Amino acid sequence: MGGEFQAAFWAAKRAIGAASEEAYQRHGVRAGQQFLLYELWAEDGLTPGELAKRLGLAVPTVTRTATRLEAAGILRREPHPTDARLVQLRLTDRGRELKDIMAAEVAKLTEKALHTLDEADRERFIGYLNEVRANLTTPTV
C-alpha cells in the first residue's frame, strides 16, 4: 500500500504542478509565486520579512521571488515609510489585475482536476488531503 500511495500522490502532485505552471506562465507568473501574490492581494505593501513569516519561507526565497515578479512588472519595491533598512512590496496595476485572472485559472484547474468527482466526493477528497497533511505535520506521541 505504501508504494502505491507514494506513486499515486507523486504523480498527482507532478500533474498539478505542471498544469499550474502552464496556466500561470501565460500571465507571467511561475507556479509557487501565486502564494506571495495572494498575501499581497490581501495586504499590499508587506515587507519581504513579513511575507516570509506568513508563508513559512526564508527571506532570501521571498526576495528572489519578488525580484522575478518585479522584472515581470507585477510588483515594485518602495522604501519603507518608517524604517530605511526595509522595503515594501507593492503591486503594480498589472499585479492587481492578475487577482481575478489567477482566480479564474485556479477555478479552471480545480474543475479540470476534479470534474469526474461529484460534490460529496470532492468534499471527502479535500478532507482526506487535509488529514494526510495533519498526519504528517502533527507530532505523534
Side-chain angles (χ1 to χ4, degrees):
M1 176 60 114
E4 291 172 13
F5 167 77
Q6 290 286 326
F9 188 85
W10 177 251
K13 180 181 171 188
R14 286 187 52 201
I16 289 168
S20 297
E21 188 74 33
E22 180 182 328
Y24 300 158
Q25 278 194 347
R26 289 193 293 266
H27 309 290
V29 177
R30 297 196 59 193
Q33 294 175 339
Q34 76 273 18
F35 299 110
L36 188 141
L37 291 174
Y38 291 148
E39 294 297 330
L40 291 175
W41 290 325
E43 186 177 349
D44 201 9
L46 296 170
T47 67
E50 291 167 330
L51 280 166
K53 185 174 183 176
R54 290 181 184 197
L55 296 170
L57 299 171
V59 174
T61 301
V62 171
T63 301
R64 281 190 303 275
T65 301
T67 298
R68 290 181 185 118
L69 290 170
E70 186 175 33
I74 295 169
L75 64 76
R76 67 183 180 282
R77 288 178 168 88
E78 291 184 356
H80 193 279
T82 60
D83 189 337
R85 298 169 298 169
L86 300 176
V87 296
Q88 291 179 307
L89 302 177
R90 296 238 176 240
L91 295 164
T92 62
D93 289 342
R94 174 70 180 136
R96 283 188 294 281
E97 290 169 1
L98 281 174
K99 182 178 181 182
D100 291 337
I101 293 167
M102 296 299 285
E105 290 290 359
V106 168
K108 283 191 274 187
L109 284 169
T110 300
E111 185 54 34
K112 184 174 183 179
L114 303 178
H115 79 275
T116 57
L117 304 178
D118 64 27
E119 193 61 34
D121 285 341
R122 289 176 185 209
E123 289 178 19
R124 278 192 295 276
F125 180 64
I126 291 166
Y128 295 147
L129 288 174
N130 285 326
E131 279 187 56
V132 167
R133 180 194 41 78
N135 290 342
L136 294 172
T137 58
T138 304
T140 54
V141 181

